[in-house]
Amino acid sequence: RVGAVSAPGAQQSSAAARPPWGREVTLLFFSYPEGLILNSLSGMMVTRLIWLLVAGLAATPVNYLFVTSPQQGTVSVVKHAAGDPGIGTVTTLLEAPAVEAPMGVAVDVKRMRLFVSDLTKKNIYLLPLAHTAGRVTLANPNAKPRVAVEGVETRWLGVDPEGNLMYSEEVLNRIMFVPVAAFSSAGFLAGASVSGSMTTVFAEAPKAPGVSNPGDVAGDVRAVYWTNKLDGQTVGSVMRVENNTAPMAIARNADKVYGLAVTPTLAFFSDGNGDIFGSGKYGGADAGLVTS
């Protein structure tokens, strides 16, 4: 996944080389420093980067994109100036043996926390970030990645504007939720993970309708969203839950949906054919094709 941090800055030259990651990457976009605008837009096979313009950003922002590549075993950050047609400047933040197969990524911009899931080590890591001198880096580059949640197999992470962490477990058919307070609890500060009492099941099949091999997750101040990778046209391609109410489908146009991004009014999601659709976050209208 890739994350984009937008902040005022000067244009910079682009790197001529191709990106160092493989074909299977995950992308996450966010804006700096106002808070999470677009939670995530991801897919198993990414063939292009899609730039989403958010009203209110600086006229010439500098974007920071985070890329996880399980093929290369790296977590990278790309600095890219608006209007620059090139790739940008790529910096590797983490690589083996610190991580082996990084996949999911989410960013709490307000608290400058980077979350990364590792498919091989079955952990979700928390890495503090720093933004200084026009650069986004790890706050403690020599420190071992901190295990936030252990013993989980997940490809998809999300963080809402309040800093709560969400992730899906496809094998167990459930959506998990970790409150932001867990990461300032006495146990976590003493070195323990937040697994167990701090991690709660938000939705789980067959108890809750609308969970069917879940994919990506996202959240805003009112609701949690996720995609389904099985029987989406029947169960729901994209689901929404607000205030512990029953899950509602806001789109049913595809059986298999992977990535998800939410804005204040819209949801964008990708299907198994490489198409990206847009829909209102409250449903009610057919999802429209954004790009294919």
Side-chain angles (χ1 to χ4, degrees):
R1 259 168 239 206
V2 179
V5 182
S6 297
Q11 298 282 337
Q12 67 175 56
S13 61
S14 61
R18 297 178 63 185
W21 50 86
R23 295 180 63 198
E24 184 180 5
V25 299
T26 310
L27 310 180
L28 174 70
F29 294 77
F30 65 92
S31 68
Y32 182 86
E34 297 301 328
L36 196 62
I37 302 298
L38 296 174
N39 195 9
S40 64
L41 178 62
S42 55
M44 296 301 294
M45 302 299 288
V46 177
T47 58
R48 68 179 72 177
L49 296 181
I50 298 176
W51 294 86
L52 302 177
L53 302 180
V54 181
L57 298 185
T60 56
V62 175
N63 299 309
Y64 297 91
L65 307 171
F66 289 86
V67 184
T68 60
S69 172
Q71 180 182 357
Q72 300 291 333
T74 58
V75 179
S76 305
V77 62
V78 184
K79 183 177 181 180
H80 188 282
D84 189 336
I87 295 170
T89 302
V90 182
T91 302
T92 300
L93 298 177
L94 281 176
E95 57 188 344
V99 289
E100 294 185 27
M103 189 69 178
V105 64
V107 177
D108 178 353
V109 181
K110 182 177 180 180
R111 297 161 188 82
M112 291 298 283
R113 292 170 175 169
L114 172 66
F115 295 91
V116 176
S117 67
D118 192 311
L119 293 178
T120 299
K121 295 188 175 183
K122 292 182 170 53
N123 289 325
I124 299 174
Y125 297 105
L126 187 159
L127 301 121
L129 296 172
H131 182 260
T132 57
R135 298 180 60 210
V136 171
T137 61
L138 295 181
N140 303 301
N142 297 320
K144 183 179 179 181
R146 178 68 192 279
V147 176
V149 185
E150 59 185 338
V152 295
E153 182 177 344
T154 180
R155 292 173 169 82
W156 315 93
L157 307 178
V159 172
D160 67 17
E162 296 179 345
N164 303 305
L165 174 68
M166 294 145 284
Y167 59 94
S168 66
E169 292 186 273
E170 180 181 0
V171 175
L172 298 177
N173 228 14
R174 64 187 186 179
I175 309 297
M176 304 298 292
F177 184 89
V178 184
V180 63
F183 304 112
S184 57
S185 65
F188 185 74
L189 295 177
S193 74
V194 299
S195 301
S197 60
M198 286 290 190
T199 304
T200 59
V201 178
F202 185 83
E204 182 179 19
K207 300 176 189 177
V211 185
S212 183
N213 285 22
D216 208 355
V217 291
D220 58 24
V221 295
R222 298 183 61 181
V224 173
Y225 308 79
W226 67 86
T227 63
N228 284 314
K229 295 187 287 182
L230 180 66
D231 298 331
Q233 290 181 311
T234 302
V235 177
S237 303
V238 182
M239 305 300 300
R240 181 182 192 275
V241 174
E242 180 179 344
N243 296 330
N244 295 318
T245 59
M248 64 169 286
I250 63 173
R252 295 182 184 271
N253 63 300
D255 276 333
K256 189 183 292 288
V257 176
Y258 291 96
L260 176 65
V262 296
T263 75
T265 58
L266 300 172
F268 297 92
F269 50 95
S270 59
D271 68 4
N273 298 318
D275 297 329
I276 296 175
F277 297 87
S279 172
K281 289 194 333 187
Y282 298 92
D286 292 339
L289 181 64
V290 176
T291 186
S292 62

